[in-house]
Amino acid sequence: MAAQTGDGRNDGTGDGFSGFTYREVGATHPGGSRAPLPPPGFHLLRVRTRLGTGPGVQRRAGEAVMGWGMHRAVGVSIRAAAPEAEPGVRVTVGLGLGRLRLNAPCRVVWALREPDRTGWAYGTLPGHPECGEEAFLVERLPDDSVWLTVTAFSRAASWYTRAAGPLTRAGQRAYARRCGRVLRRLSGAA
C-alpha cells in the first residue's frame, strides 16, 4: 500500500500511487492542501448540496458515496477493483452508451471515515479525458445539517475536451449538482 501523510493524503510514493497525470495528488483532502486550489493551470469546481439533517442521513449518504452507489445512481458505470473506495483502488468511470462510451480511468487517492465526515477522492490516470482530481465528501455540521461537497480541479487532457472548452466545465458542474440531488434521494432525506 502507498505511503500516506498523517492526515490521510497520499505522499506520491509507493506502488499503488504511480502513474497519475498530475502532480498535486491529494490536494482535495479536507485536512488542508499543501497549496491553494486550484493548482496553476487548472480550473476549480466546488458544489455543495444540502442533503438533510441527522446522523441517519449522514450514515446513508456516506454508505452510498463510499460504496459507489451514488455514482451508479447518477447514471455512470463504475468498474472498481474493490467494493468500497479505499486509497489505491483503481476505478474506471464510463460515460455514455455502447461504442460511444467514454471510459475514464482513475485511482482513489484518499478515503476518509470520521464520525462527522465520510468521503474520498480519485485522481486521473493516463487515458482519462481530463487531468486532475475530484473529491466527494459528506459532512454533518454542528447544526446537524448534512452536506455533500464535490470539489475538483481539472484541465483538458484530450483534443475533444480541449475543443469543448467551457462546455466540459459546464458538464462537470451539472454532474456535481446531479450527484447532490441523487444522494439526497438515496440518503432518505425529505
Side-chain angles (χ1 to χ4, degrees):
M1 188 56 73
Q4 291 185 348
T5 62
D7 59 8
R9 288 178 292 174
N10 169 32
D11 71 359
T13 64
D15 294 338
F17 289 92
S18 60
F20 287 103
T21 59
Y22 63 104
R23 292 180 15 179
E24 299 82 359
V25 175
T28 60
H29 192 281
S33 66
R34 296 172 198 155
L37 289 179
F42 288 84
H43 297 281
L44 179 64
L45 169 80
R46 186 166 284 133
V47 174
R48 289 188 77 212
T49 305
R50 185 183 169 115
L51 303 177
T53 58
V57 169
Q58 177 197 357
R59 181 185 50 77
R60 290 185 296 273
E63 289 170 359
V65 167
M66 297 304 286
W68 321 113
M70 177 190 72
H71 284 77
R72 288 187 173 113
V74 165
V76 299
S77 73
I78 294 285
R79 289 191 324 265
E84 291 195 339
E86 293 294 338
V89 170
R90 190 176 171 105
V91 181
T92 301
V93 179
L95 304 169
L97 298 171
R99 300 183 104 191
L100 298 176
R101 181 175 303 257
L102 176 69
N103 289 311
C106 308
R107 186 171 295 130
V108 176
V109 297
W110 60 261
L112 184 68
R113 295 173 195 267
E114 296 177 350
D116 293 324
R117 299 190 303 181
T118 305
W120 56 274
Y122 50 33
T124 57
L125 298 174
H128 196 294
E130 290 282 311
C131 172
E133 190 169 295
E134 187 168 27
F136 307 90
L137 184 66
V138 174
E139 293 180 280
R140 186 163 54 109
L141 302 181
D143 69 358
D144 213 29
S145 64
V146 180
W147 295 79
L148 169 69
T149 303
V150 178
T151 303
F153 61 88
S154 64
R155 65 178 175 217
S158 65
W159 68 267
Y160 49 90
T161 52
R162 280 190 292 277
L167 292 176
T168 300
R169 290 189 297 282
Q172 289 171 327
R173 184 166 297 284
Y175 178 78
R177 287 184 177 136
R178 180 154 168 72
C179 285
R181 289 190 305 272
V182 165
L183 192 57
R184 184 183 302 128
R185 179 178 50 82
L186 292 174
S187 65

